[in-house]
Amino acid sequence: MHRFKNLFTVPTIKRTPSLARHFTTSPPPILGPTKPDQKPRMVVLGSGWGACRLMKEIDTKLYDIVCVSPRNHMVFTPLLASTCVGTLEFRSVAEPIGRIQPAISKEPGSFFFLANCSAVDTLKKQVHCRTVTDGIQTLNPWDFKISYDKLVIASGAEASTFGIKGVKEHAIFLREVHHAQEIRRKLLLNLMLSDVPGVSEEEKRRLLHIVVVGGGPTGVEFSGELSDFITRDVRQGYAHVKDYIHVTLIEANEILSSFDDRLRTYATSHLTKAGVRLVRGIVKDVHPQKIVLTDGTSVPYGLLVWSTGVGPSPFVQALDVPKSPGGRIGVDEWLRVPSVPDVFAVGDCCGYLESTGKHVLPALAQVAERQGKYMANLLNIIARAGGGRANAAQQIELGESFVYKHLGSMATVGSYKALVDLRQSKETKGLSMAGFVSWVIWRSAYLTRLVSWRNRLYVAVNWATTFVFGRDINRI
Amino acid sequence: MHRFKNLFTVPTIKRTPSLARHFTTSPPPILGPTKPDQKPRMVVLGSGWGACRLMKEIDTKLYDIVCVSPRNHMVFTPLLASTCVGTLEFRSVAEPIGRIQPAISKEPGSFFFLANCSAVDTLKKQVHCRTVTDGIQTLNPWDFKISYDKLVIASGAEASTFGIKGVKEHAIFLREVHHAQEIRRKLLLNLMLSDVPGVSEEEKRRLLHIVVVGGGPTGVEFSGELSDFITRDVRQGYAHVKDYIHVTLIEANEILSSFDDRLRTYATSHLTKAGVRLVRGIVKDVHPQKIVLTDGTSVPYGLLVWSTGVGPSPFVQALDVPKSPGGRIGVDEWLRVPSVPDVFAVGDCCGYLESTGKHVLPALAQVAERQGKYMANLLNIIARAGGGRANAAQQIELGESFVYKHLGSMATVGSYKALVDLRQSKETKGLSMAGFVSWVIWRSAYLTRLVSWRNRLYVAVNWATTFVFGRDINRI
């Protein structure tokens, strides 16, 4: 079911000074350097919050856009947890790139390529790519190159496993639509299998034990959605097995550690009341049907969801540029990669170089989206000042550097309740809320974040039908 | 991507007189015979039109229902073609069994088992089943048995390949939701791959050549939907490759052969105008990237959809009961399998025995649905007369036998146009229509056929958003 590999993870890339990949066969086809009668070409790697906000805001009269990504849509990650249990449909949280920036499918010089970037040749100003063929055996993937005038790396991060054995093989992450699909299919499969003659009591309990590792917003929201699903839909739709299903949330420290104390207490008590077992522990090993904690406890599971944060992807690790603390692509205050001209980075894949004296920003949709917007503005300024072509932007006044202003954090905990922490940082004071009002704010905030009216409509219709008819339990 | 195997196709079953499968290991668990204080148990094999109408109508005060099927939902097959191109969403055409008959998930003696039936032991009155585990490697499927008081086989038919080599490997059928998902993913993949640097003109034409084999209603409707998709959505969303995409419909005889002459002419001229190439030919071989016709023509394709009708499944072939012409399970006028008591059959899996003097009915949703309704009524009569238990129905007056009255045939040809043939058979006269009015009738007819209000709402919302925003082009 792993249809898309994680963005840009080609572990075979060799670290070479030019970052070039050595092609042993005939030279791959190339989308060559732009000619004087063409617009400068901006190549964007990725299709997440940063990339999409950038592509939406960029002035397409100034640039042609070429986007390279293994998926043709953006995922509204804050709503992804809701799709796992059928509260929302998968398509309601996915927005096609071609709808976010129509120029990409219409302008003669703009393209979307369904491909992974394998390397960047910063000397020749080319990116090396390989098409995604998605397991179709009659298609051989092929390599190609794209010349860029400007390159924006927005390829995101990868789920962290902390080197724990078995995580990649047995746990499911919650970062892409296909992850949510896999979770939903497995959850419904286990619900049905546990009802079949011949299943022991012990096996029934195992099949219906859902373990979530990681108590950040994603883990908490998923646990909350699950407990809603169990309370309402499993009791109605799977009455025979309703007493066997349980959710355990395992976190090494505190859940929602970035939130206000009061909100954290609220979340803890709410989840506990909803039947979620909160366990403080560190995972040591993951086996096919159980995990083992460092204290020796063995926890059998039927479904294991892993949401312990993110780290740099192999693609980012392989890039031969100075890195930020934590191993991300190092950028300056203008989000440039200072060592290589015409290369920029936004979102989870990048962090401030230590020399800037600034902290690396958290891996949040909010940060990536703001950086994408900033980057569009910056590149528009550069092109308007005549610096759109490769090697033409040395003398241009860039204006203000990127400043991140945190607008608050939000997390839902199920039962129409959410936490909204409006403090700008952990140290300052600010409004913190919990309960139904927060839930309304949270839902509205995300509704207006959704890009298209189509998806806003679908999210509203999904919520309404879930409210009236219950969640969708089709296993397709 | 073949998540669900075709219904009940376990080719390893041996033909033994009792139909029993010999278990070599420890005896599988069993849902044993019903006790006097329990309701009689009706086992239903399948979850298509026949099975679902039966389960919806049966009196659950008289029977416990046990449904065995490899999918937990019913598919609204007449709308399936629309989901391949994003006009409708997959979930809008799938209805969970638990919503069609809520007793199945609530009553202590009623169950839905996600499993395939491998054999029927008509002497012991047991069905032998094996759980579906759907490629999850940490789960071993297990065998179990279910005792029945009444057994209704509604396991459907299988797509015909006419023994042509390569069809199963390279073509996609259009009978289940996962088929439609596979078609959509491949279509969008090919659209994106054809735009990548390095694709020759010839390869581009191949990738974007969609070949449909079979000119029955399904093939015609799918071709019509495709031409709408190309005219509207590909021109907008894939402007670079819009001139390369083509649809060819191959049929050995005439398209829509069961329809009135005038309607057939209309369909032919409409499809031709819409850009669908109609080819009369017989397929000889199917290769990974081309098909070869009997006249030697070689037709390269990027996507091949096979819809040439259905034939008996291996499960039905392996059942040791007298067969109807065409190899279906032979039934009498009351849809009983006369050689074995308490066994009945409805839908595409069964046909009248030659001894009844009646023609085998066509494999249509309409037939299966009417038979399911009839069967529910028949079994209700039997139980009310005290014959609900196994071997207790010999002396009961069954009432009228099943009579099929054809209500007309419908097929859409795209562009908001449909054909409605209201003649009761090919020989009689009746109203025949084409054009926009037919389209409205067609759509309304199917809307009211959908079981739940939820799905009626979703179909309406899907149609409305397709009309306003265009089709969904997310590849998830």
Side-chain angles (χ1 to χ4, degrees):
Chain A
M1 290 300 297
H2 283 278
R3 289 179 192 157
F4 304 110
K5 293 290 173 197
N6 288 303
L7 279 165
F8 310 117
T9 58
V10 184
T12 53
I13 298 166
K14 284 176 203 135
R15 275 172 175 267
T16 56
S18 69
L19 303 177
R21 189 162 153 215
H22 301 292
F23 289 96
T24 47
T25 55
S26 64
I30 182 165
L31 191 65
T34 50
K35 301 192 181 83
D37 62 334
Q38 295 174 314
K39 286 181 265 186
R41 181 183 302 139
M42 177 185 80
V43 174
V44 181
L45 305 183
S47 59
W49 285 89
C52 287
R53 187 66 198 257
L54 161 64
M55 289 191 280
K56 193 179 163 72
E57 304 278 331
I58 198 82
D59 188 342
T60 54
K61 288 200 263 341
L62 301 173
Y63 289 99
D64 277 329
I65 307 168
V66 175
C67 177
V68 179
S69 173
R71 61 170 198 222
N72 82 337
H73 56 272
M74 175 194 164
V75 183
F76 293 101
T77 40
L79 293 179
L80 194 57
S82 303
T83 65
C84 299
V85 293
T87 312
L88 291 179
E89 267 321 308
F90 302 118
R91 300 208 170 243
S92 309
V93 305
E95 190 68 40
I97 310 297
R99 292 244 158 82
I100 291 173
Q101 179 46 269
I104 220 161
S105 44
K106 282 177 192 146
E107 291 285 315
S110 289
F111 296 96
F112 171 81
F113 295 141
L114 193 77
N116 283 301
C117 177
S118 47
V120 179
D121 183 337
T122 55
L123 294 177
K124 291 190 181 160
K125 299 207 182 251
Q126 292 172 346
V127 290
H128 297 191
C129 307
R130 170 167 285 194
T131 57
V132 170
T133 45
D134 207 16
I136 295 179
Q137 271 141 28
T138 54
L139 278 172
N140 290 320
W142 64 90
D143 297 305
F144 62 96
K145 299 181 189 178
I146 312 163
S147 297
Y148 61 80
D149 289 298
K150 306 291 171 204
L151 173 66
V152 183
I153 304 174
S155 57
E158 204 181 61
S160 300
T161 63
F162 305 105
I164 298 166
K165 257 193 242 167
V167 177
K168 281 203 173 149
E169 293 79 4
H170 308 300
I172 310 177
F173 301 119
L174 187 44
R175 296 173 50 74
E176 302 280 349
V177 172
H178 68 98
H179 293 142
Q181 287 173 323
E182 197 181 347
I183 291 170
R184 182 144 143 194
R185 287 181 60 77
K186 199 160 182 186
L187 180 61
L188 293 176
L189 179 68
N190 288 354
L191 273 165
M192 287 187 279
L193 285 181
S194 60
D195 205 11
V196 170
V199 189
S200 67
E201 291 285 301
E202 195 189 342
E203 177 71 355
K204 219 178 254 198
R205 279 183 207 287
R206 180 190 74 76
L207 280 168
L208 296 180
H209 188 206
I210 303 144
V211 174
V212 183
V213 180
T218 304
V220 167
E221 287 182 6
F222 177 63
S223 306
E225 283 283 348
L226 267 178
S227 70
D228 278 5
F229 173 68
I230 292 167
T231 312
R232 179 167 178 186
D233 303 84
V234 173
R235 285 191 195 287
Q236 280 186 19
Y238 299 91
H240 303 127
V241 295
K242 66 181 178 350
D243 298 328
Y244 293 90
I245 189 163
H246 287 102
V247 181
T248 300
L249 176 59
I250 299 179
E251 165 63 47
N253 303 302
E254 275 183 294
I255 65 162
L256 297 177
S257 57
S258 67
F259 280 65
D260 176 279
D261 279 352
R262 215 158 41 87
L263 291 178
R264 218 152 58 210
T265 314
Y266 180 90
T268 306
S269 102
H270 182 86
L271 286 175
T272 309
K273 247 186 266 170
V276 176
R277 198 162 63 112
L278 300 173
V279 169
R280 188 159 309 187
I282 297 168
V283 178
K284 200 180 125 212
D285 277 318
V286 175
H287 300 276
Q289 305 193 338
K290 67 171 183 186
I291 56 176
V292 179
L293 305 183
T294 47
D295 66 3
T297 320
S298 173
V299 185
Y301 68 84
L303 173 65
L304 178 62
V305 175
W306 197 265
S307 62
T308 57
V310 294
S313 66
F315 170 74
V316 165
Q317 288 173 35
L319 278 179
D320 192 18
V321 294
K323 298 287 164 66
S324 75
R328 302 183 186 189
I329 298 169
V331 291
D332 67 10
E333 291 95 326
W334 290 268
L335 307 181
R336 296 179 297 187
V337 181
S339 52
V340 281
D342 297 320
V343 180
F344 306 81
V346 297
D348 299 357
C349 68
C350 75
Y352 287 124
L353 285 162
E354 227 164 358
S355 56
T356 61
K358 291 185 162 194
H359 288 296
V360 171
L361 294 169
L364 294 174
Q366 213 178 130
V367 173
E369 195 228 359
R370 229 73 61 72
Q371 289 184 333
K373 189 182 172 190
Y374 172 84
M375 184 53 59
N377 189 45
L378 187 76
L379 289 175
N380 286 343
I381 289 173
I382 290 174
R384 286 195 189 110
R389 301 271 161 206
N391 304 314
Q394 285 84 350
Q395 305 300 325
I396 289 165
E397 180 58 59
L398 296 181
E400 283 181 26
S401 63
F402 176 75
V403 178
Y404 177 65
K405 190 161 170 286
H406 188 65
L407 291 183
S409 308
M410 292 185 275
T412 87
V413 288
S415 317
Y416 310 109
K417 290 195 171 52
L419 313 176
V420 182
D421 189 341
L422 296 176
R423 299 171 310 156
Q424 284 188 28
S425 77
K426 250 196 130 161
E427 290 69 38
T428 60
K429 291 210 168 234
L431 193 56
S432 303
M433 294 180 289
F436 185 73
V437 175
S438 314
W439 186 82
V440 171
I441 293 176
W442 184 83
R443 296 234 141 159
S444 329
Y446 281 121
L447 260 192
T448 54
R449 284 268 176 85
L450 297 184
V451 178
S452 69
W453 279 102
R454 180 203 192 95
N455 274 351
R456 287 185 212 183
L457 172 69
Y458 271 108
V459 168
V461 171
N462 288 163
W463 279 337
T465 53
T466 293
F467 191 78
V468 177
F469 302 106
R471 291 172 177 79
D472 179 56
I473 51 168
N474 275 317
R475 184 168 182 276
I476 58 173
Chain B
M1 289 299 296
H2 284 277
R3 287 179 192 156
F4 303 109
K5 293 290 171 198
N6 288 305
L7 279 165
F8 310 116
T9 59
V10 184
T12 52
I13 297 167
K14 284 177 205 134
R15 274 173 176 265
T16 57
S18 70
L19 303 174
R21 190 163 150 213
H22 302 291
F23 289 96
T24 48
T25 54
S26 65
I30 182 165
L31 191 64
T34 50
K35 299 191 184 85
D37 62 333
Q38 294 175 316
K39 285 182 265 185
R41 181 184 301 139
M42 177 185 78
V43 173
V44 181
L45 306 182
S47 60
W49 284 90
C52 287
R53 188 64 199 261
L54 162 64
M55 289 190 281
K56 193 180 163 71
E57 303 279 332
I58 198 84
D59 187 341
T60 54
K61 287 200 265 335
L62 300 175
Y63 290 98
D64 278 329
I65 306 168
V66 174
C67 177
V68 178
S69 173
R71 62 171 198 221
N72 80 338
H73 56 272
M74 176 196 163
V75 183
F76 294 100
T77 41
L79 293 177
L80 194 58
S82 302
T83 65
C84 299
V85 293
T87 312
L88 292 179
E89 267 321 310
F90 302 118
R91 301 210 168 243
S92 309
V93 304
E95 189 69 40
I97 309 297
R99 292 244 158 83
I100 291 174
Q101 178 47 271
I104 219 162
S105 45
K106 282 178 192 145
E107 290 286 315
S110 290
F111 297 95
F112 171 80
F113 296 140
L114 194 76
N116 284 301
C117 176
S118 47
V120 179
D121 184 337
T122 54
L123 293 178
K124 290 189 182 163
K125 300 207 181 247
Q126 291 173 347
V127 290
H128 297 191
C129 307
R130 171 167 284 193
T131 57
V132 170
T133 45
D134 209 16
I136 295 177
Q137 271 141 28
T138 54
L139 278 173
N140 290 321
W142 65 89
D143 297 306
F144 62 97
K145 298 181 191 178
I146 311 164
S147 296
Y148 60 80
D149 288 299
K150 305 291 171 204
L151 173 66
V152 182
I153 304 174
S155 57
E158 204 182 59
S160 301
T161 63
F162 305 105
I164 299 166
K165 256 193 242 167
V167 176
K168 281 204 173 146
E169 295 78 5
H170 307 301
I172 309 177
F173 301 118
L174 186 45
R175 296 173 50 75
E176 301 280 349
V177 172
H178 69 98
H179 293 142
Q181 287 174 322
E182 197 181 346
I183 290 171
R184 181 143 146 195
R185 287 181 60 78
K186 198 159 182 187
L187 179 63
L188 293 175
L189 178 68
N190 288 355
L191 273 164
M192 288 187 278
L193 285 181
S194 60
D195 205 11
V196 170
V199 188
S200 67
E201 290 285 301
E202 195 190 341
E203 177 71 354
K204 218 179 257 197
R205 278 182 209 287
R206 181 190 74 77
L207 279 170
L208 296 180
H209 188 208
I210 302 144
V211 175
V212 183
V213 179
T218 304
V220 167
E221 288 182 5
F222 178 62
S223 305
E225 283 284 347
L226 268 177
S227 71
D228 279 5
F229 173 68
I230 292 168
T231 312
R232 178 165 179 187
D233 303 85
V234 173
R235 288 195 191 286
Q236 282 186 17
Y238 299 90
H240 302 128
V241 294
K242 66 179 178 350
D243 298 328
Y244 293 90
I245 189 162
H246 288 102
V247 181
T248 299
L249 176 60
I250 299 179
E251 165 62 47
N253 303 303
E254 276 184 292
I255 65 162
L256 298 177
S257 57
S258 67
F259 280 65
D260 176 278
D261 279 352
R262 215 157 41 86
L263 291 177
R264 220 152 56 208
T265 313
Y266 181 91
T268 307
S269 103
H270 182 87
L271 286 175
T272 309
K273 248 187 263 171
V276 176
R277 199 162 61 113
L278 299 174
V279 170
R280 187 158 314 183
I282 297 168
V283 178
K284 198 179 125 212
D285 277 317
V286 175
H287 300 277
Q289 304 191 340
K290 67 171 182 187
I291 54 175
V292 179
L293 304 184
T294 46
D295 66 2
T297 319
S298 173
V299 185
Y301 68 83
L303 174 64
L304 178 62
V305 175
W306 197 266
S307 62
T308 56
V310 294
S313 67
F315 170 72
V316 166
Q317 287 173 37
L319 277 180
D320 191 20
V321 294
K323 298 288 164 66
S324 76
R328 302 184 185 188
I329 298 169
V331 291
D332 65 11
E333 291 96 325
W334 289 269
L335 306 181
R336 295 179 297 185
V337 181
S339 52
V340 280
D342 296 320
V343 179
F344 306 81
V346 297
D348 299 357
C349 68
C350 75
Y352 286 123
L353 284 163
E354 230 165 355
S355 55
T356 62
K358 291 186 162 195
H359 287 297
V360 170
L361 294 168
L364 294 174
Q366 216 178 125
V367 174
E369 195 226 0
R370 227 76 59 72
Q371 291 185 331
K373 191 183 170 190
Y374 172 83
M375 184 54 60
N377 189 46
L378 187 75
L379 290 174
N380 287 343
I381 289 174
I382 290 174
R384 284 194 192 113
R389 300 273 160 205
N391 304 314
Q394 284 86 347
Q395 304 301 326
I396 289 166
E397 182 57 57
L398 296 180
E400 282 180 27
S401 62
F402 176 73
V403 178
Y404 177 63
K405 189 160 170 287
H406 188 64
L407 291 182
S409 309
M410 293 186 274
T412 89
V413 288
S415 314
Y416 308 110
K417 289 192 171 55
L419 312 176
V420 181
D421 189 340
L422 296 176
R423 299 172 308 155
Q424 284 189 27
S425 77
K426 251 197 130 165
E427 288 70 37
T428 60
K429 291 209 167 230
L431 193 58
S432 303
M433 295 180 287
F436 185 73
V437 175
S438 314
W439 186 83
V440 171
I441 293 177
W442 185 84
R443 296 233 142 160
S444 328
Y446 281 122
L447 260 192
T448 53
R449 284 269 176 87
L450 297 184
V451 177
S452 69
W453 278 102
R454 180 203 195 98
N455 274 351
R456 288 185 211 186
L457 173 69
Y458 270 108
V459 168
V461 171
N462 287 164
W463 278 338
T465 53
T466 294
F467 191 79
V468 176
F469 302 108
R471 290 173 178 78
D472 179 56
I473 51 168
N474 275 316
R475 185 169 180 277
I476 59 173

